[in-house]
Amino acid sequence: MKKNKLRERVEEHMNETGRALQLLWDNINPGQRKQLAKKAEIKALLERYGVEDE
C-alpha cells in the first residue's frame, strides 16, 4: 500500500471515529459528561478526535 493511500485511510478512519464519539457525547446527559470529562484518558480521547464539548 502506498503512503498516500494509507494516509487517506487513516484520515477517513479518524473522521469516522470522531463523528461516532461526537454522536455519543451529544447524547449523554450533562451530569454524565461532567463525570467523564474529569478522567484524563477520556478528555485526551475527545481532544484527539476533535469532539466538541459544549
Side-chain angles (χ1 to χ4, degrees), residues 10-43:
V10 168
E11 187 175 321
E12 181 180 315
H13 179 69
M14 296 255 323
N15 289 337
E16 183 178 329
T17 302
R19 286 190 303 272
L21 285 172
Q22 185 70 57
L23 178 64
L24 289 171
W25 192 253
D26 290 344
N27 288 290
I28 294 175
N29 73 46
Q32 291 173 322
R33 284 186 190 186
K34 273 186 170 179
Q35 291 295 321
L36 291 171
K38 288 180 182 178
K39 299 183 183 267
E41 298 90 357
I42 293 175
K43 192 171 186 173

